[in-house]
Coordinates of all heavy atoms in Angstrom, one line a residue:
M1 N 0.8 -1.1 0.0 CA 0.0 0.0 0.0 C 0.9 1.2 0.0 O 1.8 1.4 0.7 CB -0.9 0.0 1.3 CG -1.8 1.2 1.3 SD -2.9 1.2 2.8 CE -4.2 0.1 2.2
N2 N 0.6 2.2 -0.9 CA 1.3 3.4 -0.9 C 0.6 4.5 -0.1 O -0.4 4.2 0.5 CB 1.7 3.9 -2.4 CG 0.4 4.2 -3.0 OD1 -0.7 4.6 -2.4 ND2 0.4 4.0 -4.5
R3 N 1.3 5.7 0.0 CA 0.8 6.7 0.8 C -0.7 7.2 0.3 O -1.6 7.4 1.1 CB 1.7 7.9 0.8 CG 1.4 9.0 1.8 CD 2.5 10.0 1.7 NE 2.2 11.2 2.6 CZ 2.4 11.1 4.0 NH1 3.1 10.1 4.6 NH2 2.1 12.2 4.7
T4 N -0.9 7.2 -1.0 CA -2.2 7.6 -1.5 C -3.1 6.6 -1.0 O -4.3 7.0 -0.6 CB -2.1 7.7 -3.0 OG1 -1.2 8.8 -3.4 CG2 -3.5 7.9 -3.6
E5 N -3.0 5.3 -1.2 CA -3.8 4.3 -0.9 C -4.2 4.3 0.6 O -5.3 4.1 1.0 CB -3.3 3.0 -1.2 CG -3.2 2.7 -2.8 CD -2.4 1.6 -3.2 OE1 -1.5 1.1 -2.4 OE2 -2.6 1.1 -4.3
H6 N -3.1 4.6 1.4 CA -3.3 4.7 2.8 C -4.3 5.8 3.1 O -5.2 5.7 4.0 CB -2.0 4.9 3.6 CG -2.1 4.8 5.1 ND1 -2.0 3.7 5.8 CD2 -2.3 5.9 5.9 CE1 -2.2 4.1 7.0 NE2 -2.4 5.4 7.1
L7 N -4.1 7.0 2.6 CA -4.9 8.1 2.9 C -6.4 7.8 2.4 O -7.4 8.2 3.0 CB -4.5 9.4 2.3 CG -3.2 10.0 3.0 CD1 -2.6 11.1 2.2 CD2 -3.6 10.4 4.4
L8 N -6.5 7.2 1.2 CA -7.8 6.9 0.7 C -8.5 5.8 1.7 O -9.7 5.9 2.0 CB -7.7 6.2 -0.7 CG -7.4 7.3 -1.7 CD1 -7.2 6.6 -3.1 CD2 -8.4 8.4 -1.9
A9 N -7.7 4.9 2.2 CA -8.3 4.0 3.3 C -8.7 4.7 4.5 O -9.8 4.4 5.1 CB -7.3 2.9 3.6
C10 N -8.0 5.7 4.9 CA -8.3 6.6 6.0 C -9.7 7.3 5.8 O -10.5 7.4 6.6 CB -7.3 7.6 6.3 SG -5.8 6.8 7.1
L11 N -9.8 7.7 4.5 CA -11.0 8.5 4.1 C -12.2 7.6 4.3 O -13.2 8.0 4.8 CB -10.9 9.2 2.7 CG -12.1 9.9 2.3 CD1 -12.4 11.1 3.1 CD2 -11.8 10.4 0.8
A12 N -12.1 6.4 3.7 CA -13.2 5.4 3.7 C -13.5 5.1 5.2 O -14.7 5.1 5.5 CB -12.8 4.2 3.0
E13 N -12.6 5.0 6.0 CA -12.8 4.6 7.5 C -13.4 5.7 8.2 O -14.4 5.5 8.9 CB -11.4 4.4 8.1 CG -11.4 3.9 9.5 CD -10.1 3.6 10.1 OE1 -9.3 2.9 9.5 OE2 -9.7 4.3 11.1
E14 N -13.1 6.9 7.9 CA -13.7 8.1 8.5 C -15.1 8.3 8.0 O -16.1 8.6 8.8 CB -13.0 9.4 8.4 CG -11.5 9.4 9.0 CD -11.6 9.1 10.5 OE1 -12.6 9.3 11.2 OE2 -10.6 8.7 11.1
C15 N -15.4 8.0 6.8 CA -16.7 8.1 6.2 C -17.7 7.0 7.0 O -18.8 7.3 7.2 CB -16.8 7.9 4.7 SG -16.1 9.4 3.8
A16 N -17.0 5.9 7.1 CA -17.8 4.8 7.8 C -18.1 5.2 9.3 O -19.2 4.9 9.9 CB -17.0 3.5 7.9
E17 N -17.2 5.9 9.9 CA -17.4 6.4 11.2 C -18.5 7.4 11.3 O -19.3 7.5 12.3 CB -16.1 6.9 11.9 CG -15.1 5.8 12.1 CD -13.7 6.2 12.6 OE1 -13.5 7.5 12.8 OE2 -12.9 5.3 12.8
V18 N -18.6 8.3 10.3 CA -19.7 9.2 10.1 C -21.0 8.4 10.1 O -22.0 8.7 10.8 CB -19.6 10.1 9.0 CG1 -20.9 11.0 8.7 CG2 -18.5 11.1 9.1
Q19 N -21.1 7.4 9.3 CA -22.2 6.6 9.1 C -22.6 6.0 10.4 O -23.8 5.9 10.8 CB -22.0 5.5 8.1 CG -21.9 5.9 6.7 CD -21.5 4.8 5.7 OE1 -20.6 4.0 6.0 NE2 -22.2 4.7 4.7
H20 N -21.7 5.5 11.2 CA -21.9 4.8 12.6 C -22.5 5.8 13.4 O -23.5 5.5 14.1 CB -20.6 4.3 13.0 CG -20.7 3.5 14.2 ND1 -20.2 4.0 15.5 CD2 -21.3 2.3 14.6 CE1 -20.5 3.2 16.6 NE2 -21.1 2.2 16.0
A21 N -21.9 7.0 13.5 CA -22.5 8.0 14.4 C -23.9 8.5 14.0 O -24.8 8.7 14.9 CB -21.5 9.2 14.5
V22 N -24.2 8.6 12.8 CA -25.5 8.9 12.3 C -26.5 7.8 12.6 O -27.6 8.1 13.1 CB -25.5 9.3 10.8 CG1 -26.9 9.4 10.2 CG2 -24.6 10.5 10.5
A23 N -26.1 6.6 12.4 CA -27.0 5.5 12.7 C -27.4 5.5 14.2 O -28.6 5.2 14.5 CB -26.4 4.1 12.3
K24 N -26.4 5.7 15.0 CA -26.7 5.9 16.5 C -27.7 7.0 16.8 O -28.6 6.8 17.6 CB -25.5 6.1 17.3 CG -24.4 4.9 17.3 CD -25.0 3.7 18.0 CE -24.0 2.6 17.9 NZ -24.6 1.3 18.3
A25 N -27.5 8.1 16.1 CA -28.4 9.2 16.3 C -29.8 8.9 15.9 O -30.8 9.3 16.5 CB -27.9 10.4 15.6
L26 N -30.0 8.2 14.8 CA -31.2 7.7 14.3 C -31.9 6.7 15.2 O -33.1 6.8 15.5 CB -31.1 7.2 12.8 CG -30.9 8.2 11.8 CD1 -30.5 7.4 10.5 CD2 -32.1 9.0 11.5
R27 N -31.1 5.8 15.8 CA -31.7 4.9 16.6 C -32.0 5.3 18.1 O -33.1 5.0 18.7 CB -30.7 3.7 16.8 CG -30.6 2.9 15.6 CD -29.4 1.7 15.7 NE -29.9 0.9 16.8 CZ -29.0 0.0 17.5 NH1 -27.7 0.1 17.1 NH2 -29.4 -0.8 18.3
F28 N -31.1 6.3 18.6 CA -31.3 6.7 20.0 C -31.5 8.2 20.2 O -31.7 8.6 21.3 CB -30.1 6.2 20.8 CG -29.9 4.7 20.6 CD1 -28.8 4.2 20.0 CD2 -30.8 3.8 21.3 CE1 -28.6 2.8 19.9 CE2 -30.6 2.5 21.1 CZ -29.5 1.9 20.4
G29 N -31.4 9.0 19.2 CA -31.5 10.4 19.2 C -30.2 11.2 19.2 O -29.2 10.6 19.6
L30 N -30.3 12.5 18.8 CA -29.1 13.2 18.6 C -28.5 13.6 20.1 O -27.3 13.8 20.2 CB -29.5 14.5 18.0 CG -29.6 14.4 16.4 CD1 -30.3 15.6 15.8 CD2 -28.1 14.3 15.8
D31 N -29.4 13.7 21.1 CA -29.0 14.2 22.3 C -28.5 13.0 23.2 O -28.0 13.2 24.3 CB -30.1 14.9 23.1 CG -30.4 16.1 22.4 OD1 -29.6 16.8 21.9 OD2 -31.6 16.6 22.5
D32 N -28.7 11.8 22.8 CA -28.2 10.6 23.6 C -26.8 10.4 23.3 O -26.2 11.0 22.4 CB -29.0 9.3 23.1 CG -28.9 8.2 24.1 OD1 -29.0 8.5 25.4 OD2 -28.6 7.1 23.7
G33 N -26.1 9.5 24.0 CA -24.8 9.1 23.7 C -24.4 7.8 24.3 O -25.4 7.2 25.1
Y34 N -23.3 7.2 24.1 CA -22.9 5.9 24.7 C -23.0 6.2 26.2 O -22.6 7.1 26.7 CB -21.5 5.6 24.3 CG -21.3 5.1 22.9 CD1 -20.7 5.8 21.9 CD2 -21.8 3.8 22.7 CE1 -20.6 5.2 20.6 CE2 -21.7 3.2 21.3 CZ -21.1 3.9 20.4 OH -21.0 3.4 19.2
P35 N -23.4 5.1 26.9 CA -23.5 5.1 28.4 C -22.1 5.5 28.9 O -21.1 4.8 28.5 CB -24.0 3.7 28.7 CG -24.6 3.2 27.6 CD -24.1 3.8 26.4
G36 N -22.0 6.4 29.7 CA -20.7 6.7 30.4 C -19.8 7.7 29.5 O -18.9 8.2 30.0
A37 N -20.3 8.0 28.2 CA -19.5 8.9 27.4 C -19.9 10.3 27.8 O -21.0 10.6 28.1 CB -19.7 8.5 25.9
A38 N -19.0 11.2 27.5 CA -19.2 12.6 27.8 C -20.0 13.3 26.6 O -20.6 14.4 26.6 CB -17.9 13.4 28.1
S39 N -19.8 12.7 25.4 CA -20.3 13.3 24.1 C -21.7 12.8 23.8 O -22.1 11.6 24.0 CB -19.3 13.1 23.0 OG -19.2 11.8 22.7
T40 N -22.5 13.6 23.1 CA -23.7 13.3 22.6 C -23.5 12.7 21.2 O -22.5 12.9 20.6 CB -24.8 14.4 22.4 OG1 -24.2 15.3 21.5 CG2 -24.9 15.1 23.8
N41 N -24.6 12.1 20.6 CA -24.5 11.6 19.2 C -24.3 12.7 18.2 O -23.6 12.5 17.3 CB -25.9 10.7 18.8 CG -25.8 9.4 19.6 OD1 -24.8 8.8 19.8 ND2 -27.0 9.0 20.0
A42 N -25.0 13.8 18.5 CA -24.7 15.0 17.7 C -23.2 15.5 17.7 O -22.7 15.8 16.6 CB -25.6 16.2 18.1
Q43 N -22.7 15.4 18.9 CA -21.2 15.9 19.0 C -20.3 14.7 18.3 O -19.3 15.1 17.6 CB -20.8 15.9 20.4 CG -21.4 17.2 21.1 CD -21.3 17.2 22.6 OE1 -21.3 16.2 23.2 NE2 -21.1 18.4 23.2
D44 N -20.7 13.5 18.4 CA -19.9 12.5 17.8 C -20.1 12.6 16.2 O -19.0 12.4 15.5 CB -20.5 11.1 18.1 CG -20.1 10.7 19.6 OD1 -19.4 11.4 20.2 OD2 -20.8 9.8 20.1
I45 N -21.2 13.0 15.6 CA -21.3 13.2 14.2 C -20.4 14.4 13.8 O -19.6 14.4 12.8 CB -22.7 13.6 13.9 CG1 -23.6 12.3 14.0 CG2 -22.8 14.1 12.3 CD1 -25.1 12.6 13.9
A46 N -20.4 15.5 14.6 CA -19.5 16.6 14.2 C -18.1 16.2 14.3 O -17.3 16.6 13.4 CB -19.8 17.8 15.2
R47 N -17.7 15.5 15.3 CA -16.3 15.1 15.4 C -15.9 14.2 14.2 O -14.9 14.5 13.6 CB -16.0 14.3 16.7 CG -14.6 14.0 17.0 CD -14.4 13.1 18.2 NE -15.0 11.8 17.9 CZ -16.0 11.3 18.6 NH1 -16.5 11.9 19.6 NH2 -16.5 10.0 18.3
E48 N -16.8 13.3 13.8 CA -16.4 12.4 12.8 C -16.4 13.2 11.4 O -15.5 12.9 10.5 CB -17.3 11.2 12.6 CG -17.2 10.4 13.9 CD -15.8 9.8 14.1 OE1 -15.0 9.8 13.3 OE2 -15.7 9.3 15.2
L49 N -17.3 14.2 11.2 CA -17.2 15.0 10.0 C -15.9 15.8 9.9 O -15.2 15.9 8.9 CB -18.4 15.9 9.9 CG -19.8 15.3 9.6 CD1 -20.9 16.3 9.8 CD2 -19.7 14.7 8.1
N50 N -15.4 16.3 11.1 CA -14.1 17.0 11.1 C -12.9 16.0 10.8 O -12.0 16.4 10.2 CB -13.9 17.6 12.5 CG -14.6 18.9 12.6 OD1 -14.6 19.8 11.6 ND2 -15.3 19.2 13.7
D51 N -13.2 14.8 11.3 CA -12.1 13.8 10.9 C -12.1 13.6 9.4 O -11.0 13.5 8.7 CB -12.4 12.3 11.6 CG -12.1 12.4 13.0 OD1 -11.6 13.4 13.5 OD2 -12.4 11.4 13.6
V52 N -13.2 13.5 8.7 CA -13.3 13.4 7.3 C -12.6 14.7 6.7 O -11.8 14.4 5.8 CB -14.8 13.3 6.8 CG1 -14.9 13.5 5.3 CG2 -15.4 12.0 7.1
L53 N -12.9 15.8 7.1 CA -12.3 17.0 6.5 C -10.8 17.0 6.7 O -10.1 17.6 5.9 CB -13.0 18.3 7.2 CG -14.4 18.4 6.8 CD1 -15.0 19.7 7.6 CD2 -14.7 18.7 5.3
A54 N -10.3 16.5 7.8 CA -8.9 16.4 8.1 C -8.2 15.6 7.0 O -7.2 15.9 6.4 CB -8.7 15.9 9.5
I55 N -8.8 14.4 6.7 CA -8.3 13.5 5.7 C -8.4 14.2 4.4 O -7.4 14.1 3.6 CB -9.0 12.1 5.8 CG1 -8.8 11.5 7.1 CG2 -8.4 11.2 4.6 CD1 -7.5 11.3 7.6
V56 N -9.5 14.8 4.0 CA -9.6 15.4 2.7 C -8.5 16.5 2.6 O -7.9 16.7 1.6 CB -11.1 16.0 2.6 CG1 -11.1 17.1 1.3 CG2 -12.1 15.0 2.4
T57 N -8.3 17.2 3.7 CA -7.2 18.3 3.6 C -5.9 17.7 3.3 O -5.1 18.2 2.6 CB -7.3 19.0 5.0 OG1 -8.5 19.7 5.1 CG2 -6.2 20.1 5.0
M58 N -5.6 16.6 4.0 CA -4.3 15.9 3.7 C -4.3 15.4 2.3 O -3.2 15.6 1.6 CB -4.2 14.7 4.7 CG -4.0 15.0 6.2 SD -3.8 13.6 7.2 CE -2.2 13.2 6.9
L59 N -5.4 14.9 1.7 CA -5.3 14.5 0.3 C -5.2 15.7 -0.6 O -4.4 15.5 -1.6 CB -6.6 13.8 0.1 CG -6.7 12.4 0.7 CD1 -8.2 11.9 0.7 CD2 -5.9 11.3 -0.2
E60 N -5.7 16.7 -0.2 CA -5.6 18.0 -1.1 C -4.1 18.5 -0.8 O -3.4 18.9 -2.0 CB -6.5 19.1 -0.6 CG -8.0 18.8 -1.0 CD -8.9 19.9 -0.7 OE1 -8.8 20.4 0.5 OE2 -9.8 20.3 -1.5
D61 N -3.5 18.5 0.3 CA -2.3 19.1 0.5 C -1.2 18.2 -0.3 O -0.2 18.8 -0.6 CB -1.9 19.0 2.0 CG -2.6 20.1 2.8 OD1 -3.2 21.0 2.2 OD2 -2.6 20.0 4.0
E62 N -1.5 17.0 -0.5 CA -0.5 16.1 -1.2 C -0.8 16.1 -2.6 O -0.1 15.3 -3.4 CB -0.5 14.8 -0.6 CG -0.1 14.7 0.9 CD 0.5 13.5 1.4 OE1 0.8 12.6 0.7 OE2 0.6 13.4 2.7
G63 N -1.8 16.9 -3.1 CA -2.1 16.9 -4.5 C -2.8 15.7 -5.1 O -2.9 15.5 -6.3
I64 N -3.5 15.0 -4.2 CA -4.2 13.7 -4.6 C -5.5 14.0 -5.0 O -6.1 13.4 -5.9 CB -4.1 12.8 -3.4 CG1 -2.6 12.3 -3.2 CG2 -5.0 11.4 -3.7 CD1 -2.4 11.6 -1.8
L65 N -6.2 14.9 -4.2 CA -7.6 15.4 -4.5 C -7.5 16.9 -4.6 O -6.8 17.6 -4.1 CB -8.5 15.0 -3.4 CG -9.0 13.6 -3.3 CD1 -10.0 13.4 -2.1 CD2 -9.5 12.9 -4.5
D66 N -8.5 17.3 -5.5 CA -8.8 18.7 -5.6 C -10.2 19.0 -5.5 O -11.0 18.8 -6.4 CB -8.2 19.3 -7.0 CG -8.5 20.8 -7.1 OD1 -8.5 21.4 -6.1 OD2 -8.5 21.2 -8.2
C67 N -10.7 19.3 -4.3 CA -12.1 19.4 -4.1 C -12.5 20.7 -3.3 O -12.9 20.6 -2.1 CB -12.7 18.2 -3.4 SG -11.9 17.6 -2.0
P68 N -12.3 21.8 -3.9 CA -12.7 23.1 -3.3 C -14.2 23.1 -3.1 O -14.9 22.5 -3.9 CB -12.2 24.1 -4.1 CG -12.1 23.4 -5.4 CD -11.8 22.1 -5.2
A69 N -14.6 23.8 -2.1 CA -16.1 23.9 -1.9 C -16.7 24.6 -3.1 O -16.2 25.6 -3.6 CB -16.4 24.8 -0.6
D70 N -17.7 23.9 -3.6 CA -18.4 24.3 -4.8 C -19.8 24.7 -4.4 O -20.6 23.9 -4.3 CB -18.3 23.2 -5.9 CG -19.0 23.6 -7.2 OD1 -19.9 24.6 -7.1 OD2 -18.8 22.9 -8.1
R71 N -20.0 26.0 -4.2 CA -21.3 26.5 -3.7 C -22.3 26.2 -4.7 O -23.6 25.8 -4.2 CB -21.2 28.0 -3.5 CG -22.3 28.6 -2.7 CD -22.4 28.2 -1.4 NE -23.8 28.1 -0.8 CZ -24.2 27.6 0.2 NH1 -23.4 27.0 1.0 NH2 -25.5 27.7 0.7
E72 N -22.1 26.3 -5.9 CA -23.2 25.9 -6.8 C -23.7 24.4 -6.7 O -24.8 24.1 -6.7 CB -22.8 26.2 -8.3 CG -23.9 26.0 -9.3 CD -23.5 26.4 -10.7 OE1 -22.5 27.3 -10.8 OE2 -24.0 25.8 -11.7
A73 N -22.6 23.6 -6.7 CA -22.9 22.1 -6.5 C -23.6 21.8 -5.2 O -24.5 21.0 -5.1 CB -21.6 21.3 -6.6
I74 N -23.2 22.6 -4.2 CA -23.9 22.3 -2.9 C -25.3 22.9 -3.0 O -26.3 22.1 -2.5 CB -23.1 23.2 -1.8 CG1 -21.8 22.5 -1.6 CG2 -23.9 23.2 -0.5 CD1 -20.8 23.3 -0.8
E75 N -25.6 24.0 -3.6 CA -27.0 24.4 -3.7 C -27.8 23.5 -4.6 O -29.0 23.2 -4.3 CB -26.9 25.8 -4.2 CG -26.5 26.8 -3.2 CD -26.4 28.3 -3.7 OE1 -26.8 28.6 -4.9 OE2 -25.9 29.2 -3.0
Q76 N -27.2 22.9 -5.6 CA -28.0 22.0 -6.4 C -28.3 20.8 -5.6 O -29.4 20.2 -5.7 CB -27.1 21.6 -7.6 CG -27.0 22.6 -8.7 CD -26.1 22.4 -9.8 OE1 -25.3 21.4 -9.8 NE2 -26.1 23.2 -10.8
K77 N -27.4 20.2 -4.8 CA -27.6 19.1 -4.0 C -28.7 19.4 -2.9 O -29.7 18.5 -2.7 CB -26.3 18.6 -3.2 CG -26.5 17.5 -2.3 CD -27.0 16.2 -3.1 CE -27.2 15.0 -2.2 NZ -27.7 13.8 -2.9
M78 N -28.6 20.6 -2.4 CA -29.7 20.9 -1.5 C -31.1 21.0 -2.0 O -32.1 20.5 -1.4 CB -29.4 22.3 -0.8 CG -28.1 22.3 0.1 SD -27.5 23.9 0.6 CE -28.8 24.5 1.6
A79 N -31.1 21.5 -3.3 CA -32.4 21.5 -4.0 C -32.9 20.1 -4.3 O -34.1 19.8 -4.1 CB -32.2 22.3 -5.3
R80 N -32.0 19.2 -4.7 CA -32.4 17.8 -5.0 C -32.8 17.2 -3.7 O -34.0 16.5 -3.7 CB -31.2 17.0 -5.6 CG -30.9 17.4 -7.1 CD -30.1 16.2 -7.6 NE -28.9 16.0 -7.0 CZ -27.7 16.8 -7.1 NH1 -27.7 17.7 -7.9 NH2 -26.6 16.4 -6.4
V81 N -32.3 17.4 -2.6 CA -32.7 16.8 -1.3 C -34.1 17.3 -0.9 O -35.0 16.6 -0.6 CB -31.7 17.0 -0.2 CG1 -32.2 16.7 1.2 CG2 -30.4 16.3 -0.4
G82 N -34.3 18.5 -1.2 CA -35.6 19.3 -0.9 C -36.7 18.6 -1.8 O -37.8 18.3 -1.4
E83 N -36.4 18.4 -3.1 CA -37.4 17.8 -3.9 C -37.7 16.4 -3.5 O -38.9 16.0 -3.5 CB -36.8 17.8 -5.3 CG -36.7 19.1 -6.1 CD -35.9 19.0 -7.4 OE1 -35.8 17.9 -7.9 OE2 -35.4 20.1 -7.9
Y84 N -36.8 15.6 -3.1 CA -37.0 14.3 -2.7 C -37.7 14.2 -1.3 O -38.4 13.3 -1.0 CB -35.7 13.4 -2.7 CG -35.5 12.9 -4.2 CD1 -34.5 13.5 -4.8 CD2 -36.2 11.9 -4.7 CE1 -34.3 13.1 -6.2 CE2 -36.0 11.5 -5.9 CZ -35.0 12.1 -6.7 OH -34.8 11.7 -8.1
M85 N -37.5 15.2 -0.6 CA -38.3 15.3 0.7 C -39.8 15.5 0.4 O -40.6 14.8 1.0 CB -37.9 16.5 1.5 CG -36.6 16.2 2.4 SD -36.3 17.7 3.4 CE -35.0 17.0 4.5
G86 N -40.1 16.3 -0.7 CA -41.5 16.5 -1.1 C -42.0 15.1 -1.6 O -43.2 14.8 -1.2
Y87 N -41.2 14.4 -2.2 CA -41.7 13.1 -2.8 C -41.9 12.1 -1.7 O -42.9 11.3 -1.6 CB -40.7 12.5 -3.8 CG -41.0 11.2 -4.3 CD1 -42.1 11.1 -5.1 CD2 -40.2 10.0 -4.0 CE1 -42.6 9.8 -5.7 CE2 -40.6 8.8 -4.6 CZ -41.7 8.7 -5.4 OH -42.1 7.4 -5.8
A88 N -41.0 12.1 -0.6 CA -41.1 11.3 0.6 C -42.4 11.6 1.3 O -43.0 10.7 1.8 CB -39.9 11.4 1.4
I89 N -42.8 12.8 1.3 CA -43.9 13.2 2.0 C -45.2 12.6 1.3 O -46.1 12.1 1.9 CB -44.1 14.8 2.1 CG1 -43.0 15.3 3.2 CG2 -45.5 15.2 2.5 CD1 -42.8 16.9 3.2
Q90 N -45.2 12.7 -0.1 CA -46.2 12.2 -0.9 C -46.4 10.7 -0.7 O -47.5 10.2 -0.7 CB -46.0 12.5 -2.4 CG -46.2 13.9 -2.8 CD -45.8 14.2 -4.3 OE1 -45.5 13.2 -5.0 NE2 -45.9 15.3 -4.8
C91 N -45.2 10.1 -0.6 CA -45.3 8.6 -0.3 C -45.6 8.3 1.0 O -45.9 7.0 1.3 CB -43.8 8.1 -0.6 SG -43.2 8.1 -2.3
G92 N -45.7 9.2 2.0 CA -46.0 8.8 3.4 C -44.9 8.4 4.2 O -45.0 7.8 5.3
A93 N -43.7 8.4 3.5 CA -42.5 8.0 4.3 C -41.8 9.1 5.2 O -41.0 8.8 6.0 CB -41.5 7.5 3.3
L94 N -42.3 10.3 5.0 CA -41.8 11.4 5.8 C -42.9 12.3 6.3 O -43.7 12.7 5.6 CB -40.8 12.3 4.8 CG -40.2 13.6 5.5 CD1 -39.3 13.2 6.6 CD2 -39.5 14.3 4.4
T95 N -42.8 12.6 7.6 CA -43.8 13.4 8.2 C -43.5 14.9 8.1 O -42.3 15.2 8.4 CB -43.9 13.1 9.8 OG1 -44.1 11.7 10.0 CG2 -45.1 14.0 10.4
P96 N -44.4 15.6 7.4 CA -44.0 17.0 7.1 C -43.9 17.8 8.4 O -44.6 17.7 9.3 CB -45.2 17.5 6.2 CG -46.3 16.6 6.4 CD -45.8 15.3 7.0
N97 N -43.0 18.8 8.3 CA -42.8 19.9 9.4 C -42.5 19.2 10.8 O -43.0 19.8 11.6 CB -44.0 20.8 9.3 CG -44.1 21.5 8.0 OD1 -43.1 21.8 7.4 ND2 -45.3 21.6 7.6
V98 N -41.9 18.1 10.8 CA -41.5 17.5 12.1 C -40.0 17.3 12.1 O -39.6 16.5 11.2 CB -42.3 16.3 12.4 CG1 -41.8 15.5 13.7 CG2 -43.8 16.5 12.4
K99 N -39.2 17.9 13.0 CA -37.9 17.6 13.1 C -37.5 16.3 13.7 O -38.2 15.8 14.6 CB -37.1 18.8 13.9 CG -36.9 20.0 13.0 CD -36.1 21.0 13.6 CE -35.9 22.1 12.8 NZ -35.0 23.2 13.3
Ligands
LIG1 MG1 -13.0 9.3 13.2

């Protein structure tokens, strides 16, 4: 394994840790946390997202990835998610106006 592969493995691992923290929040709530742990599931998600950003920064610093924040792409994704929320409401899979 070379350095690029190692960093890509780190990125995959950190993305999986985001998934894990999000799944815990979905199962037990954002304000809950592991018994005995000082952090909430919401804080765990934030920490893991920062871990992802750290690895992305390393990949960028080494010239492996080039992924500057693309506001237009972000806004397009936000619009698509909003559209699919409407569809999910129509399907009865999402309760409207409930956080
Ligand atoms: Mg992590």
Side-chain angles (χ1 to χ4, degrees):
M1 178 178 282
N2 62 32
R3 191 173 174 88
T4 296
E5 292 165 338
H6 183 87
L7 286 173
L8 291 173
C10 289
L11 181 59
E13 184 179 306
E14 295 303 340
C15 288
E17 289 173 2
V18 170
Q19 292 176 313
H20 182 251
V22 170
K24 292 295 182 194
L26 285 169
R27 290 176 65 203
F28 303 111
L30 285 164
D31 295 330
D32 193 49
Y34 281 110
S39 61
T40 66
N41 291 323
Q43 290 168 326
D44 291 346
I45 292 169
R47 185 186 66 244
E48 297 303 346
L49 286 170
N50 278 317
D51 286 354
V52 168
L53 292 174
I55 301 301
V56 168
T57 299
M58 292 179 76
L59 287 160
E60 287 183 314
D61 288 349
E62 299 206 14
I64 298 165
L65 284 184
D66 181 26
C67 50
D70 181 339
R71 190 65 207 169
E72 185 177 333
I74 291 168
E75 288 175 4
Q76 289 173 351
K77 177 62 177 177
M78 291 168 66
R80 286 195 304 276
V81 170
E83 289 172 19
Y84 280 101
M85 279 184 170
Y87 180 66
I89 290 169
Q90 287 178 2
C91 294
L94 175 63
T95 305
N97 301 322
V98 177
K99 283 190 177 180

